[in-house]
Amino acid sequence: MPPADHFRELELLSDCGSCFGLCCVALPFAASADFAADKAAGDPCRNLREDFRCSIHERLRPSGYPGCTVFDCFGAGQKVSQVTFEGRSWRAAPETAGQMYAVFPVMRQLHELLWYLAEALSLEPARPVHAELRRALDETDRLTRQDAGTLEKYDVAPHRAAVNELLLRVSELVRSQEKGRGKDRRGADLIGARLRGADLRRANLRGAYLIGADLRGADLREADLIGADLRGANLAGADLTGAIFLTQAQLNAAAGDAATRIPPALTRPAHWSETAARPAPVRNARRPRRR
Ligand code: SF4
């Protein structure tokens, strides 16, 4: 994975200070374990201040809004605010609000693709497809710079499917290094699975459901984690060195500790335990329970 500076250069790191609080207005949420109240799409969250800052930013989790800590716009918010709408907010120009809210989710999808493509381009084993990745990145960047009217109606699905084909080839190239590919758990239901100390090196965990899974001490090096649902998964002591297509939002949704090894472009979430987990017993490493 490239260093964080690389993503910053590509403007893929969210900059809430340059955004009109779009994720706090445009998107709906329902009262649940993730959000303390209902909110309809287009309604400003009751915690959003006039200056587009969150009034409970420092205490989202204890205030009942952990869902806000696991959302990443990949820089789409500031792109819509400052580029597409040229710095005119929905408060200053209410007549543009509806269009701005429609553009935001489209832009978020495109920026997410830019993130994956940028990461893929940094991977040495993916060199055979670097030229195609570069073309896809340039095309995706061009799409983000279309006018609001075009973006509002843009159907991302076909472009997303084409990029995904490319990312699949990258995954194969990365995971077939050295001793060959790891386990194939693409889309697997591993909710609550006991995978403590499991050997998941170079595993295909694309879109796997790992909600609440016990991954303490697991070996996830060079695993493909694109779209894997890690909510509540325990990554204490796990090794995610070289894991591909892992995002900050996925890490934020999981639990971990000081011993969890994470890719250099990502940040250890503040809510993770400061203490290291004890090493997993070897017997658990041999026979992980599968669901
Ligand atoms: S709680 Fe804060 S971060 Fe979450 S939607 Fe509301 S204003 Fe935004």
Side-chain angles (χ1 to χ4, degrees), residues 125-252:
R127 186 161 290 282
V129 292
H130 271 193
E132 289 171 79
L133 288 167
R134 170 55 62 186
R135 280 196 293 276
L137 187 137
D138 289 346
E139 171 61 7
T140 309
D141 182 66
R142 185 192 69 76
L143 292 170
T144 69
R145 297 176 191 285
Q146 299 176 111
D147 61 60
T150 306
L151 278 165
E152 180 185 24
K153 299 189 187 88
Y154 183 69
D155 178 8
V156 186
H159 183 65
R160 191 177 188 97
V163 170
N164 193 47
E165 283 301 313
L166 205 44
L167 298 179
L168 275 167
R169 287 163 61 192
V170 171
S171 177
E172 290 292 310
L173 288 165
V174 171
R175 294 186 303 102
S176 59
Q177 298 295 297
E178 300 174 30
K179 293 179 184 170
R181 296 182 193 88
K183 299 179 175 75
D184 188 357
R185 296 284 183 274
R186 184 177 183 179
D189 179 356
L190 296 167
I191 297 171
R194 295 179 186 175
L195 294 166
R196 189 173 186 176
D199 178 7
L200 293 167
R201 188 171 189 186
R202 299 191 195 94
N204 181 356
L205 290 162
R206 296 173 71 89
Y209 297 92
L210 288 157
I211 301 163
D214 182 357
L215 287 159
R216 287 175 291 173
D219 184 355
L220 289 154
R221 287 175 293 167
E222 292 110 25
D224 182 350
L225 286 159
I226 196 166
D229 194 335
L230 290 166
R231 283 177 292 168
N234 192 341
L235 293 168
D239 191 349
L240 293 147
T241 305
I244 60 172
F245 306 135
L246 177 68
T247 65
Q248 188 65 48
Q250 285 171 296
L251 271 194
N252 291 351

Side-chain angles (χ1 to χ4, degrees), residues 1-2 6-7 10 12 111-123 130 133-134 137 167 245:
M1 182 173 282
H6 182 61
F7 289 122
L10 291 166
L12 302 178
H111 267 238
E112 184 181 17
L113 294 178
L114 285 174
W115 175 283
Y116 293 138
L117 288 165
E119 180 182 344
L121 270 166
S122 76
L123 301 171
H130 271 193
L133 288 167
R134 170 55 62 186
L137 187 137
L167 298 179
F245 306 135

Side-chain angles (χ1 to χ4, degrees), residues 23-24 29 45 47-48 53-56 60 65 68:
C23 61
C24 311
F29 51 71
C45 172
N47 299 314
L48 186 65
R53 299 301 179 105
C54 173
S55 62
I56 59 168
L60 283 165
Y65 286 86
C68 299

